């Protein structure tokens, strides 16, 4: 069970960010489950847990130095597809898909979204499992 109810990231352009995340999160089996027109969007599997929004204080969205949002992937192919789509849609690579030392069988890919937020999709299955 996760200790988080949700995570939010600021954006400068919700329609642009929604188009990006609709495609990038699809391999992870996340769907857009919440749209508050002109305010926010949220993705998840059963409930919106990954959110993008305009900052409530009206100031421009900025990224957090040292902050990374980790998203669970169902398998290694989903990690690779997440990374491929992000780059195709204008995101930047922060770490190509591959094994990682942070856990047994860890396989992950890191990207920055169109606003500079850093995300990772990771899977903890062995190569034989997916």
């Amino acid at each position: 069970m996760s200790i988080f109810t949700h995570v939010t990231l600021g954006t400068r352009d919700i329609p642009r960010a929604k188009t990006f995340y609709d495609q990038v999160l699809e391999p992870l089996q996340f769907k857009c489950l919440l749209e508050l027109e002109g305010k926010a969007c949220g993705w998840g599997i059963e409930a919106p847990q990954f959110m993008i929004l305009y900052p409530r204080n009206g100031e421009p969205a900025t990224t957090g130095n040292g902050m990374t949002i980790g998203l669970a992937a169902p398998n290694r192919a989903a990690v690779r597809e997440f990374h491929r789509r992000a780059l195709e849609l204008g995101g930047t690579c922060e770490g190509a898909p591959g094994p990682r030392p942070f856990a047994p069988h860890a396989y992950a890919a890191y990207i920055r979204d169109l606003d500079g937020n850093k995300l990772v999709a990771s899977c903890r299955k062995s190569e034989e499992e997916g």
Side-chain angles (χ1 to χ4, degrees):
M1 177 180 197
S2 173
I3 61 171
F4 300 105
T5 59
H6 67 283
V7 173
T8 63
L9 293 176
T11 184
R12 295 178 203 99
D13 186 335
I14 285 179
R16 179 181 76 147
K18 182 177 183 314
T19 298
F20 179 84
Y21 280 115
D22 278 344
Q23 294 182 52
V24 169
L25 297 177
E26 184 182 28
L28 307 182
Q29 301 174 353
F30 295 8
K31 296 180 182 126
C32 185
L33 301 173
L34 173 72
E35 285 190 67
L36 301 174
E37 191 170 325
K39 294 183 181 181
C41 292
W43 291 261
I45 294 174
E46 295 177 6
Q49 294 178 289
F50 177 81
M51 316 278 283
I52 58 161
L53 50 73
Y54 292 127
R56 295 184 89 181
N57 65 4
E59 297 294 319
T62 59
T63 60
N65 186 25
M67 186 175 102
T68 302
I69 305 298
L71 304 171
N75 53 50
R76 291 175 177 216
V79 170
R80 291 188 293 272
E81 187 63 10
F82 163 87
H83 189 262
R84 185 192 70 74
R85 289 183 186 198
L87 299 185
E88 183 177 277
L89 294 164
T92 57
C93 178
E94 286 288 322
R100 298 294 191 269
F102 55 77
H105 307 297
Y107 188 87
Y110 293 79
I111 61 115
R112 286 204 186 263
D113 72 7
L114 303 175
D115 289 294
N117 297 299
K118 188 175 178 183
L119 293 96
V120 58
S122 65
C123 168
R124 306 287 168 93
K125 295 179 181 178
S126 69
E127 195 167 343
E128 297 76 34
E129 295 174 288

